[in-house]
Amino acid sequence: MFTEFDRLAMTQALALAERGLETTHPNPRVGCVIAQGDRIIGEGFHERAGEPHAEVMALRSAKEPVAGATAYVTLEPCSHHGRTPPCVNALIEARIARVVFAVQDPNPRVSGQGADALLRAGMTVEAGLMENEATELNIGFMKRMKDGLPWVRVKLAMSLDGRTALANGASQWITGEAARADVQRWRARCSAIMTGVGTVLADDPQLNVRAAGFKGRQPLRVVLDARLRSPVGAKVFGGGVGAGGGAGVGGGAGVGGAAGVGGAAGVGGAAAAGVDGGAGRGADPGAGPVVVFAAASAEPPDQNSVSGVAPSADDATWAGAALSGAIPVDRRPSAQASTVESTAAKSDSPADFRVPRAALSGKGVRIEEVPSDDGYLDLPAVLKKLGEMEVNEVLVEAGPTLAGQLLTTFLVDELLLYVAPKLLGPQGRPLVNLPELQSLQDAWGFSLFDAKRFGDDLRLRLRPK
Ligand code: AOF
Ligand code: ZN
């Protein structure tokens, strides 16, 4: 049904679409090629939500008549009035004769109706050319439109012996520069970066994009913090939130080089977080808005820990505490009733409860309450909320507890696993916390989507079987 040229033209349309990889959020990445016979006369791609779609860009770029031409589009042309008018109208008015598209638009406002409109106008319409490639390119958009949930990609880095850090917590720079630069590209393309309070406390990450040539909006930053124990001075609350930017942040010294950038971008981030919940629109060069998910029954946090200083507590324990925060102290399993937890339980006055909320809100941080199930944040509820906030792809950069929780609740769509050629020894920290298995048959299985070398490190992309 499709010719060799059709395939070539669609390959080019996909390459064009990929140019919007880091900028189209929350829209899909779409490319379009216009050809007269076997000659390409127009090319375009969708760059940014609110700006023209790929078809319009391709039609505009044509330097010769397009009547009677074929349009190759990586996604079914839209038929609705969104931020821009319907592409099917533009194609019909241009008197395009044939439209070949790779995959149906899963958006219920478009799905099937775009193709119908073109057929009704007398065009030849063919679908399904390089459908897999086009689906992959918009894997998050596809999932969100179909299920209302984002694509969950969990990034992990480990040694050859499956350890992520030394027993004393030292973990920075396990992987090399090339692998770390690659992680920045995955941050750049995602709609949101998600972590747990354990990682905030232990590593104090910024969760922003610091990638060369990045032109997109900074992704939403998501912190899962059942009991609101995140220090208000954490870097994640410092850049891109609150008009004060880094100035109002206790741990300002630690914000380092990014402080200036984050500070400058602060107003935009705050507005987005406060108004529409942070899946904010508009370019923000420093850092994205922040949303903290807390248990609906969140206990008052410990004021002593709201200091901006990362404690030296065991990361796994802290990450575990993040998810078990709503468990009343006397019901907590002893393994999780760390010193830190016991201390936290001492200051349960309502005043304590209000202060950090106000402090976080004052920084433009949005706090979302979700149900907690037996003390664990309801992760499907978190993801559903992110879907409502138009998050297509969420990159999880967290500790072994949250990664394990996502796996055991079958919410992981993809693992991005970097393997560094080092041995850390059996005392090091494990990759993910999972319940003990009794039979090898119960082992968690994955299929290898691809493997790529970055310097001396290896990146595996794995999808649960
Ligand atoms: C196309 N070509 O290049 C893209 C499409 O708000 P709007 O107007 O930008 O519409 C966004 C929706 O349009 C999006 O959810 C998806 O269904 C479709 N995207 N369609 O024909 C494009 N980006
Ligand atoms: Zn369109």
Side-chain angles (χ1 to χ4, degrees):
M1 169 163 104
F2 295 112
T3 67
E4 209 172 303
F5 178 79
D6 287 341
R7 184 162 281 276
L8 193 141
M10 190 59 88
T11 303
Q12 174 62 6
L14 283 163
L16 288 161
E18 211 170 318
R19 290 173 62 182
L21 194 64
E22 298 177 1
T23 52
T24 62
H25 161 93
N27 274 357
R29 299 113 185 180
V30 185
C32 177
V33 161
I34 312 275
Q36 285 284 17
D38 283 4
R39 218 157 35 84
I40 291 180
I41 60 164
E43 293 186 337
F45 70 99
H46 181 53
E47 187 168 4
R48 225 172 275 277
E51 292 178 11
H53 286 183
E55 298 89 322
V56 172
M57 295 301 285
L59 289 169
R60 280 188 194 167
S61 79
K63 301 231 165 24
E64 50 187 286
V66 295
T70 296
Y72 297 87
V73 198
T74 60
L75 186 72
E76 176 184 6
C78 71
S79 50
H80 73 303
H81 287 269
R83 299 175 188 92
T84 64
C87 287
V88 293
N89 293 2
L91 294 166
I92 292 166
E93 279 157 26
R95 296 198 290 130
I96 293 291
R98 176 180 175 236
V99 172
V100 177
F101 66 85
V103 64
Q104 195 174 69
D105 189 338
N107 185 344
R109 296 176 70 197
V110 176
S111 204
Q113 301 157 54
D116 282 352
L118 297 173
L119 285 168
R120 277 199 307 274
M123 281 187 206
T124 302
V125 178
E126 293 167 71
L129 176 59
M130 305 186 77
E131 184 170 354
N132 286 348
E133 290 87 340
T135 304
E136 270 307 320
L137 192 58
N138 287 307
I139 195 102
F141 177 79
M142 296 282 167
K143 189 179 171 205
R144 174 167 70 87
M145 284 294 159
K146 288 188 180 127
D147 306 336
L149 301 171
W151 179 262
V152 180
R153 185 177 284 129
V154 179
K155 176 241 141 184
L156 296 163
M158 69 175 198
S159 62
L160 283 179
D161 48 351
R163 304 285 147 179
T164 60
L166 299 180
N168 68 14
S171 69
Q172 268 198 317
W173 320 136
I174 281 197
T175 53
E177 212 173 295
R180 293 201 303 273
D182 185 57
V183 172
Q184 286 292 325
R185 294 266 76 108
W186 289 97
R187 282 189 177 189
R189 64 175 280 172
C190 74
S191 305
I193 305 170
M194 182 162 96
T195 197
V197 64
T199 301
V200 171
L201 291 166
D203 299 344
D204 200 13
Q206 293 179 67
L207 303 180
N208 62 348
V209 182
R210 303 181 297 274
F214 176 61
K215 292 201 200 80
R217 57 170 274 297
Q218 284 282 345
L220 176 71
R221 299 180 289 170
V222 180
V223 178
L224 303 193
D225 183 0
R227 286 199 322 144
L228 290 175
R229 293 182 305 109
S230 291
V232 285
K235 284 183 196 168
V236 69
F237 303 131
V241 289
V249 181
V255 176
V261 187
V267 179
V275 177
D276 74 354
R281 308 182 205 298
D284 177 347
V290 186
V291 58
V292 172
F293 282 90
S297 56
E299 294 279 316
D302 173 23
Q303 285 309 286
N304 298 329
S305 71
V306 184
S307 61
V309 179
S312 58
D314 176 84
D315 182 24
T317 307
W318 278 83
L323 288 165
S324 63
I327 301 180
V329 174
D330 52 3
R331 282 182 52 212
R332 254 176 240 145
S334 57
Q336 284 172 345
S338 63
T339 335
V340 177
E341 283 302 290
S342 321
T343 314
K346 279 181 193 154
S347 54
D348 278 4
S349 77
D352 287 343
F353 186 61
R354 282 195 306 271
V355 172
R357 271 181 186 253
L360 288 179
S361 305
K363 286 174 173 290
V365 174
R366 166 169 165 179
I367 300 170
E368 274 294 328
E369 291 195 342
V370 288
S372 55
D373 181 9
D374 212 12
Y376 289 85
L377 280 186
D378 184 342
L379 295 176
V382 170
L383 294 179
K384 186 159 168 284
K385 189 76 207 173
L386 293 181
E388 287 165 16
M389 293 165 79
E390 299 188 299
V391 171
N392 292 333
E393 298 175 14
V394 58
L395 183 68
V396 181
E397 297 195 46
T401 304
L402 181 53
Q405 281 294 312
L406 287 164
L407 279 168
T408 52
T409 46
F410 304 101
L411 294 172
V412 174
D413 293 306
E414 183 173 317
L415 290 185
L416 204 54
L417 177 61
Y418 295 86
V419 186
K422 290 177 182 157
L423 291 169
L424 296 183
Q427 301 81 6
R429 297 192 184 170
L431 188 66
V432 284
N433 290 338
L434 292 172
E436 186 179 348
L437 302 178
Q438 299 305 326
S439 158
L440 267 181
Q441 283 173 344
D442 297 333
W444 297 84
F446 297 86
S447 53
L448 182 61
F449 185 76
D450 76 23
K452 198 173 168 191
R453 180 179 176 159
F454 290 87
D456 277 344
D457 302 322
L458 190 61
R459 183 196 71 198
L460 305 178
R461 283 175 73 192
L462 301 149
R463 296 191 178 168
K465 274 199 169 133

